[in-house]
Amino acid sequence: MADQTAVINLGEAEGDKLSKNAQKKAEKQERLAAQKANKSATNTTKEAGRSEAKKAVSKPSKKLEGVELVGITVAREDDFSGWYQQVLTKGDFLDYYDISGCYILKPASYFIWKKIQAWFGDRIEKIGVDDCAFPLFVSEEVLNREKAHIEGFAAEVAWVTHAGNTPLEKKIAIRPTSETVMYPYYAKWIRSHRDLPLRLNQWNSVVRWEFKHPQPFLRTREFHWQEGHTAHLKQQDAQTEVRQILEFYAGVYEQLLAVPVIRGRKTEKEKFAGADYTETVEGFISTTGRGIQGGTSHHLGQNFSKMFGITVEDPSGKEGEKKPALNVFQNSWGLSTRTIGVMVMTHGDDRGLVVPPRVSRRQVVIVPVGITAKTSEQDRTALYEQVDALALVLKAADIRVETDLREGYSPGWKFNDWEQKGVPLRLEFGPKDAAAHQVTTSRRDIEGKGTIQISELATGVQELLDTIQKDLYDRADEKFKSHVKKISNWDDFVPALNSKNVCLIPSCLTEKCEDEIKDLSARKEENDDTPQDERAPSMGAKSLCIPFDQPEGVVKGETACCNPQCRNKAEAWCLFGRSY
Ligand code: 87F
């Protein structure tokens, strides 16, 4: 058995001291984070045990009191990364793993990924994209065929070097992305223009051995995503698809996750090096004031088809006429489980997760209330039966409902438990509700309670879920919009960043200018040992995108570039910000 275990080495980083240090640091930070998360989980149990014991002494009661649930112990605004860790672990989305940068996606968060798969998968299928599965491994020789583009990424490639104790004749890479895995077969399969378009997608996981501080969902060494790779005869068809896919990505964020995004094009500096251009959806994390890339759709032009020899004969050639072969036009596009992290950071609060109804494993939980020591066994059973009946009505209407009839936990404990898990709507049902033919409602996203008549249960609940979905989006959208500052005067730029904004500035869009802006907006006095997330408030700003939706005010060849060191004229408004 042991002999069949593969050994994985870190490729290019082997001799790279700097990377090793960075890796050590990242791993130390990760260990601390995991320890912190584990400690708070252990404390929860301990404290719960203590308070349970206290209760038993001070208030003897026939009814078994539930253990006290210890909520999120740090405020979102005080310690955002501590808050994020607790919200994920206590909300049952994720657990830490003994390999730094790798995490377990528990059913509640994986359910969201499945919803994204269904929504996006349905749409790409309709436009003619098919799913498939290519191998996880790629030989060194094939990986290096993409040398120019892989160069910047080489240090992140993980390698398998052994089978058990036996060194492999040739080390094998684990895919960091599948261009090099797939494109040799595109060259083999595409023989004629009649084989086009070829449009394939994979739902898989890839490995990138990052040295930066890992963060669940946002930056992980293995991550789940979809990667689409298409080949077209006509450039225009490829370019149309790039935008179509981008719009689907925006739909995943906006319609499913209730997260607003800005659509735009990456600058030359920030685009994928193998692409002619990259389109992107960009999100915003309000607590840190940082932008976050949400998903990218690349037009690869003929860059890869030239490298991999993906050609067809020119269909415009007449009988017998020999025209030179045409290189196909290609796209690639990817969306990952980072989506879930952005969703959590957007909606979560000091009580825990807040999950939008459209993606929540449980949309509604019904908790029986008003049962006291005096309640007869018969009345209690009757109430529980009514609760079950309410659930059946909702299930019949395709609402994902659960009843919480657990014994030994008080209603208050159950409320907190479901709130921590982010269930969007709680229904309470007690003798008083029964008498009034109603249920009491409590939305996860706002304070206060309401009621729905039982005669209108299914429609009333569905309407409320739709309202919650919409309100979550509207609130996040308003927040994002209020943190996008249009700035033409450089002196206002860094103060705006420091006030947790992202900034639209007139920009010449050159790489040199971006480098200068990054430099000028970074505070350098910080000591380098500070963990990355604490250093973030002082990091330099990057360009996030050139929004498609351009405000008025930049006149090409007239308006000055915002960078004080730059003499160029502005090309467009470009969104800059500190970012993830
Ligand atoms: C890390 C290691 C090796 C990103 C990497 O965006 C290679 C790469 O090619 C690499 N990190 N990239 C760029 C990925 C481009 C592209 N691939 C298909 C996508 C979407 C899906």
Side-chain angles (χ1 to χ4, degrees):
M1 194 63 194
D3 273 359
Q4 289 166 1
T5 317
V7 173
I8 297 175
N9 270 2
L10 290 180
E12 307 280 318
E14 277 157 353
D16 184 342
K17 231 178 171 180
L18 209 137
S19 302
K20 268 204 170 152
N21 284 339
Q23 187 191 356
K24 267 195 193 145
K25 213 158 83 189
E27 278 174 357
K28 190 175 156 204
Q29 278 174 24
E30 172 74 351
R31 254 197 328 275
L32 287 174
Q35 271 167 13
K36 215 163 134 188
N38 277 337
K39 206 165 139 199
S40 76
T42 319
N43 282 345
T44 306
T45 331
K46 273 195 203 145
E47 277 169 51
R50 267 204 300 278
S51 57
E52 188 181 28
K54 216 160 86 190
K55 265 201 191 117
V57 173
S58 61
K59 211 175 80 186
S61 127
K62 231 175 81 188
K63 187 166 165 281
L64 178 67
E65 264 305 317
V67 288
E68 198 166 307
L69 180 127
V70 174
I72 313 301
T73 59
V74 287
R76 180 183 160 119
E77 294 295 328
D78 293 345
D79 171 9
F80 189 60
S81 75
W83 168 87
Y84 182 59
Q85 280 160 19
Q86 282 199 25
V87 160
L88 291 176
T89 50
K90 294 184 177 180
D92 229 9
F93 260 26
L94 169 133
D95 211 338
Y96 282 76
Y97 194 64
D98 75 330
I99 296 172
S100 164
C102 299
Y103 307 89
I104 298 154
L105 272 64
K106 297 183 79 176
S109 62
Y110 203 78
F111 184 87
I112 299 175
W113 188 235
K114 287 203 303 179
K115 283 282 164 204
I116 293 173
Q117 289 182 326
W119 192 93
F120 181 78
D122 196 41
R123 276 158 186 78
I124 59 172
E125 185 184 309
K126 286 205 170 85
I127 64 166
V129 179
D130 285 315
D131 283 345
C132 63
F134 279 76
L136 166 71
F137 299 118
V138 52
S139 69
E140 184 170 23
E141 185 203 337
V142 172
L143 188 72
N144 283 339
R145 284 175 70 180
E146 200 217 5
K147 200 126 204 175
H149 306 117
I150 219 97
E151 226 158 33
F153 302 121
E156 293 180 0
V157 176
W159 296 91
V160 179
T161 58
H162 289 68
N165 290 326
T166 317
L168 296 182
E169 214 166 285
K170 287 180 177 166
K171 63 177 181 175
I172 296 169
I174 301 174
R175 65 179 168 217
T177 176
S178 298
E179 281 81 354
T180 57
V181 177
M182 296 168 85
Y183 295 169
Y185 293 87
Y186 279 41
K188 177 178 170 198
W189 297 337
I190 299 169
R191 293 272 141 218
S192 139
H193 65 273
R194 288 173 220 92
D195 300 323
L196 295 173
L198 177 62
R199 320 222 267 184
L200 297 179
N201 178 65
Q202 298 194 71
W203 294 98
N204 60 19
S205 72
V206 291
V207 171
R208 296 179 186 173
W209 214 262
E210 299 248 15
F211 300 115
K212 288 190 200 151
H213 180 48
Q215 276 224 306
F217 296 112
L218 303 192
R219 193 185 300 122
T220 64
R221 285 176 168 174
E222 179 194 5
F223 59 86
H224 301 267
W225 71 346
Q226 62 66 221
E227 50 175 321
H229 297 265
T230 65
H232 303 257
L233 179 64
K234 299 270 177 239
Q235 181 162 41
Q236 185 54 58
D237 293 343
Q239 291 178 333
T240 302
E241 180 197 85
V242 167
R243 185 60 61 85
Q244 211 167 15
I245 295 295
L246 194 80
E247 209 39 59
F248 293 158
Y249 288 165
V252 166
Y253 278 100
E254 295 180 343
Q255 295 178 41
L256 294 185
L257 307 177
V259 170
V261 287
I262 291 181
R263 301 147 172 79
R265 185 171 171 141
K266 285 285 184 189
T267 58
E268 284 303 301
K269 178 177 164 70
E270 292 297 330
K271 74 170 192 186
F272 168 39
D276 275 5
Y277 63 88
T278 294
E279 295 189 348
T280 178
V281 290
E282 297 286 322
F284 175 69
I285 307 300
S286 64
T287 308
T288 55
R290 288 158 77 181
I292 185 158
Q293 180 176 298
T296 46
S297 183
H298 312 285
H299 178 54
L300 306 176
Q302 296 174 311
N303 302 335
F304 285 86
S305 66
K306 285 180 180 161
M307 253 183 309
F308 287 87
I310 313 174
T311 58
V312 295
E313 87 286 9
D314 191 335
S316 72
K318 305 264 156 10
E319 273 289 310
E321 182 189 7
K322 192 84 188 136
K323 281 207 161 184
L326 294 176
N327 283 104
V328 303
F329 291 91
Q330 289 180 273
N331 295 332
S332 78
W333 24 272
L335 184 82
S336 77
T337 44
R338 169 178 268 204
T339 43
I340 298 168
V342 178
M343 184 208 85
V344 169
M345 288 185 162
T346 301
H347 302 304
D349 65 19
D350 286 346
R351 284 186 289 159
L353 292 166
V354 177
V355 185
R358 285 194 71 179
V359 293
S360 188
R361 171 69 186 90
R362 301 179 179 96
Q363 297 174 304
V364 178
V365 57
I366 313 179
V367 181
V369 297
I371 294 171
T372 66
K374 287 192 203 134
T375 310
S376 71
E377 178 68 22
Q378 201 183 11
D379 286 352
R380 193 177 57 92
T381 312
L383 190 77
Y384 281 16
E385 279 171 3
Q386 291 179 78
V387 165
D388 281 334
L390 294 173
L392 278 181
V393 170
L394 294 177
K395 273 186 194 148
D398 271 338
I399 292 166
R400 296 187 289 277
V401 59
E402 184 159 321
T403 58
D404 188 349
L405 306 181
R406 285 179 288 179
E407 294 295 337
Y409 296 95
S410 68
W413 188 95
K414 292 176 180 176
F415 294 175
N416 292 338
D417 187 36
W418 296 115
E419 282 172 4
Q420 208 165 85
K421 293 187 164 82
V423 176
L425 182 61
R426 177 175 80 232
L427 302 182
E428 300 166 15
F429 189 73
K432 284 182 194 155
D433 297 297
H437 307 286
Q438 66 177 33
V439 294
T440 297
T441 61
S442 171
R443 288 169 58 166
R444 176 62 183 84
D445 64 319
I446 54 169
E447 297 296 322
K449 294 189 185 186
T451 58
I452 294 175
Q453 286 301 300
I454 290 178
S455 57
E456 291 160 6
L457 186 68
T459 49
V461 165
Q462 189 56 58
E463 271 169 31
L464 200 46
L465 291 172
D466 293 345
T467 306
I468 294 169
Q469 182 82 28
K470 181 174 185 314
D471 288 357
L472 284 173
Y473 177 81
D474 287 346
R475 278 195 296 271
D477 191 42
E478 203 170 307
K479 197 166 251 172
F480 193 174
K481 288 205 169 95
S482 72
H483 283 272
V484 178
K485 300 289 177 205
K486 221 173 115 182
I487 281 170
S488 296
N489 186 346
W490 174 257
D491 294 339
D492 300 331
F493 182 71
V494 176
L497 293 177
N498 291 344
S499 308
K500 299 184 177 175
N501 297 298
V502 288
C503 301
L504 275 170
I505 57 173
S507 166
C508 71
L509 305 176
T510 63
E511 197 161 340
K512 175 169 175 281
C513 189
E514 265 189 62
D515 290 339
E516 286 170 1
I517 287 177
K518 187 169 178 187
D519 225 44
L520 287 170
S521 57
R523 285 193 224 118
K524 303 233 175 52
E525 73 273 19
E526 308 272 337
N527 106 42
D528 199 37
D529 277 347
T530 322
Q532 199 190 358
D533 283 297
E534 287 162 42
R535 234 184 315 132
S538 63
M539 74 195 195
K542 284 192 200 170
S543 78
L544 306 173
C545 72
I546 309 156
F548 296 145
D549 188 6
Q550 285 278 309
E552 301 272 287
V554 166
V555 183
K556 271 198 193 183
E558 242 176 69
T559 311
C561 177
C562 194
N563 169 13
Q565 299 180 351
C566 176
R567 299 252 182 81
N568 296 334
K569 297 296 177 193
E571 286 292 319
W573 290 100
C574 185
L575 190 64
F576 276 78
R578 299 192 168 121
S579 64
Y580 281 89

